[in-house]
Amino acid sequence: MNVIQSILVLIALLTLTAGAEEVKFAQVGDRVILEPPVGTDSKVHYIYWKNSDDTDVVWSNPFGSRITKDLLSDGSLVIDKIKDEHFRTFICVTKSGDKILFMRTYRILKVNVTLNPPSPLLPEETLTLICNVESLRGQKKPEIHWLNPQSRQVGSKGSATVKVTGQHNGQWTCVVTNNKKEHHATVSVTVVDLSPAPTSPQYTSKSCPLTIPCSIHVSWDQIKAKGIQEGNWHFIPKPGSSLTPHGSQRLFSLSLEDKLAWKADQNRGLTTASDLTKGNLSLMRKQGREDDSGDYVCSLNFKNGLTLNRTVQVKVLQIISSPGTELISGQQLNLTCGLGHPLPSDLKLRWVPPEQSSSSLTSDRLPAHLTIPEVGSEDSGKWRCELWRSDTRLTSADITLKIEPRLSVWMIVIICSITAIVILLILIFVCIAYRRRQVQLNHPYSFVLDHTGFVAWQ
Ligand SMILES: *[C@@H]1O[C@H](CO)[C@@H](O)[C@H](O)[C@H]1NC(C)=O
Ligand SMILES: *[C@@H]1O[C@H](CO)[C@@H](O)[C@H](O)[C@H]1NC(C)=O
Ligand SMILES: *[C@@H]1O[C@H](CO)[C@@H](O)[C@H](O)[C@H]1NC(C)=O
Ligand SMILES: *[C@@H]1O[C@H](CO)[C@@H](O)[C@H](O)[C@H]1NC(C)=O
């Protein structure tokens, strides 16, 4: 019986030309699944997976025995992490009892993807991606092309050359088209770059924290391997700022020897993120300062002359009170809130007066200038000005007003009375002193010797 079966399999193998094979493409390390021929039912059929020399790889019977980790319950052959030795022919034979129902030949072909130079890369380096496949004798070569991370076709005939930019970071796909069937082989390309800077400024105030973000998504070892020379944070004050001299200031520089750390230059009270080794280059401070407005530049310099940099713009929200923060009720008060320049149209300001204040500010589209014709003591306390973009509060600034009540009539009466009494007392005292002086002039002092021989005044 067995001899007859083997002969049948051999005949089947011989009659099957290469064209009748099912071709599968894979890269070394991929997981490959070969499905049994259509019509196979693992619940009623015997399934044999064989090598081309008719030896069994694995088999299953309808009673569910011999299902190993290489076989799925539907009878598919699974090759986890495919190795060089698996790029060959497999045969699947399905039987019902002794009768061969189906027989199919499979061929796994290797896809070879190479990156030159290997990842990671610096922007402006030239990268060549090559994708080739093993081909079967006598068969039409498959069509091969590359897709970049944006899924756009690049290069031709399985070869693509690009001058690297941050856009090239990500997964590239080699598409192998064979008999109208596509196989996708992927490879990831890492481009060393700083994360994109925020598109809008960072807003802060004296009562809000300040964060200046900057980060990298590759390891420091990879960056060192690409020849990093220095890393810096610079501050360029807002033009026209009277508080800081013009030109750029270096805030921090990166110490690259032994231990990776920031060295402070003129740090302006800013601190660095504790997870620098994880690629977080951000700066921060618990509270903003008036002179924080300006551009902050995070940069990395490489030995080949390349500079990676990102600029973060910082703006400070401030409230200015005229005539001041200590007022007497009844005075006129002007409060001005702003960023030091006209507000862009997408930003809005909102005032929050102290709870007890009677100043009614219901609209959320109030102008930057707030005028209170006559302040009252109920207006004293914390006034807040908030900066909003649609439904997001960007930052807020506070100002604390001290408003003394105006003197009341009763207080004036009391103060006048006390003053009158004090003047009266002074007058009485002066009179008494004058009288005593008169008495002393009428009875001049004289010396006498008493019986003990001491001199005494009289
Ligand atoms: C992959 O392709 C490259 C270039 O085409 C070649 O140098 C290399 O030997 C190939 N590797 C394998 C395992 O086929
Ligand atoms: C960097 O660190 C700061 C403060 O520790 C944190 O707020 C920020 O989210 C971190 N950024 C990244 C990209 O991890
Ligand atoms: C930032 O990098 C660009 C090139 O990407 C360069 O032209 C510019 O001078 C750099 N700026 C600073 C402040 O280093
Ligand atoms: C408040 O502003 C108005 C004009 O906006 C001005 O006339 C007035 O003098 C200002 N008052 C104070 C106290 O600054």
Side-chain angles (χ1 to χ4, degrees):
M1 224 20 198
N2 262 339
V3 174
I4 297 169
Q5 266 180 34
S6 296
I7 290 168
L8 279 174
V9 170
L10 274 176
I11 291 168
L13 263 179
L14 291 172
T15 52
L16 282 168
T17 60
E21 286 175 329
E22 176 168 338
V23 175
K24 282 257 174 190
F25 292 95
Q27 282 187 86
V28 173
D30 281 355
R31 176 182 159 98
V32 176
I33 299 175
L34 303 180
E35 285 152 14
V38 181
T40 304
D41 183 351
S42 62
K43 289 192 197 72
V44 290
H45 302 145
Y46 289 81
I47 302 167
Y48 298 84
W49 284 97
K50 292 171 179 291
N51 296 309
S52 50
D53 62 1
D54 196 31
T55 54
D56 284 341
V57 179
V58 65
W59 60 273
S60 79
N61 63 26
F63 319 111
S65 56
R66 285 294 188 104
I67 296 283
T68 67
K69 66 179 172 47
D70 303 328
L71 269 187
L72 294 180
S73 57
D74 69 349
S76 296
L77 178 68
V78 180
I79 306 167
D80 256 328
K81 298 217 174 81
I82 192 163
K83 293 200 217 80
D84 274 324
E85 71 233 41
H86 295 126
F87 293 98
R88 54 180 164 90
T89 301
F90 290 88
I91 301 156
C92 183
V93 180
T94 307
K95 288 201 245 172
S96 176
D98 284 339
K99 208 175 108 207
I100 293 180
L101 294 175
F102 308 105
M103 187 169 341
R104 187 135 205 211
T105 311
Y106 301 78
R107 180 69 197 252
I108 308 177
L109 295 177
K110 182 150 86 179
V111 180
N112 178 12
V113 165
T114 47
L115 299 180
N116 185 25
S119 197
L121 296 116
L122 285 178
E124 290 175 33
E125 275 189 288
T126 303
L127 168 67
T128 305
L129 302 111
I130 294 169
C131 180
N132 48 36
V133 296
E134 268 181 287
S135 54
L136 288 172
R137 257 179 294 133
Q139 276 215 20
K140 209 177 82 183
K141 280 205 162 190
E143 192 273 324
I144 306 172
H145 67 259
W146 278 104
L147 297 179
N148 68 14
Q150 288 74 41
S151 301
R152 246 172 257 126
Q153 191 172 333
V154 194
S156 65
K157 290 193 179 141
S159 167
T161 302
V162 289
K163 197 170 176 195
V164 173
T165 68
Q167 284 225 319
H168 296 126
N169 184 74
Q171 203 158 61
W172 286 69
T173 310
C174 165
V175 182
V176 178
T177 313
N178 189 49
N179 288 334
K180 291 179 186 153
K181 270 204 270 179
E182 279 191 359
H183 171 78
H184 289 200
T186 57
V187 62
S188 79
V189 171
T190 304
V191 180
V192 175
D193 210 351
L194 296 165
S195 309
T199 49
S200 59
Q202 299 293 102
Y203 296 97
T204 185
S205 79
K206 275 193 209 167
S207 47
C208 282
L210 168 64
T211 306
I212 311 163
C214 184
S215 61
I216 46 163
H217 58 268
V218 288
S219 75
W220 283 105
D221 285 338
Q222 287 178 313
I223 289 195
K224 280 181 185 161
K226 294 311 285 187
I228 187 171
Q229 208 164 29
E230 51 177 302
N232 294 302
W233 264 113
H234 282 95
F235 172 53
I236 305 156
K238 186 179 76 172
S241 160
S242 56
L243 292 152
T244 30
H246 286 262
S248 118
Q249 282 181 350
R250 186 159 78 174
L251 305 174
F252 288 95
S253 63
L254 209 53
S255 161
L256 296 159
E257 285 113 40
D258 337 316
K259 211 173 151 269
L260 186 75
W262 282 114
K263 270 193 303 203
D265 256 311
Q266 293 186 300
N267 65 358
R268 301 172 50 82
L270 292 161
T271 57
T272 53
S274 55
D275 45 358
L276 169 65
T277 48
K278 289 191 195 126
N280 190 341
L281 310 175
S282 307
L283 299 183
M284 59 219 78
R285 202 191 307 112
K286 282 208 185 79
Q287 285 171 325
R289 298 198 319 210
E290 267 170 49
D291 60 353
D292 280 339
S293 291
D295 289 343
Y296 294 77
V297 184
C298 168
S299 61
L300 298 179
N301 298 42
F302 291 83
K303 290 200 181 90
N304 69 355
L306 179 85
T307 299
L308 300 176
N309 66 44
R310 291 289 180 270
T311 302
V312 181
Q313 208 182 5
V314 170
K315 295 197 171 179
V316 183
L317 189 71
Q318 279 186 75
I319 302 179
I320 296 162
S321 166
S322 170
T325 55
E326 291 187 14
L327 303 134
I328 293 167
S329 52
Q331 272 188 296
Q332 190 194 45
L333 170 68
N334 286 344
L335 290 177
T336 308
C337 178
L339 300 165
H341 60 78
L343 219 55
S345 58
D346 60 329
L347 299 183
K348 279 172 203 158
L349 291 173
R350 199 178 141 225
W351 287 96
V352 183
E355 257 175 48
Q356 74 281 4
S357 172
S358 55
S359 304
S360 54
L361 303 161
T362 45
S363 159
D364 61 357
R365 285 207 63 175
L366 280 168
H369 305 279
L370 196 67
T371 299
I372 301 167
E374 280 189 28
V375 287
S377 51
E378 70 279 4
D379 292 324
S380 65
K382 197 182 270 180
W383 286 75
R384 181 180 303 144
C385 165
E386 298 176 338
L387 183 67
W388 291 75
R389 179 187 289 120
S390 53
D391 290 337
T392 314
R393 192 174 76 169
L394 302 170
T395 191
S396 68
D398 291 341
I399 196 167
T400 304
L401 298 181
K402 236 171 101 180
I403 295 160
E404 301 290 344
R406 205 176 3 199
L407 298 181
S408 65
V409 176
W410 267 111
M411 283 183 84
I412 292 169
V413 168
I414 290 167
I415 287 169
C416 289
S417 315
I418 291 171
T419 314
I421 290 165
V422 168
I423 290 170
L424 209 68
L425 286 173
I426 290 169
L427 281 176
I428 291 167
F429 180 77
V430 168
C431 280
I432 291 169
Y434 183 75
R435 289 279 302 273
R436 280 194 72 159
R437 187 116 188 272
Q438 289 287 316
V439 171
Q440 276 166 7
L441 285 175
N442 292 343
H443 304 274
Y445 295 108
S446 53
F447 295 110
V448 286
L449 279 173
D450 65 7
H451 63 279
T452 59
F454 282 102
V455 178
W457 288 104
Q458 266 197 347

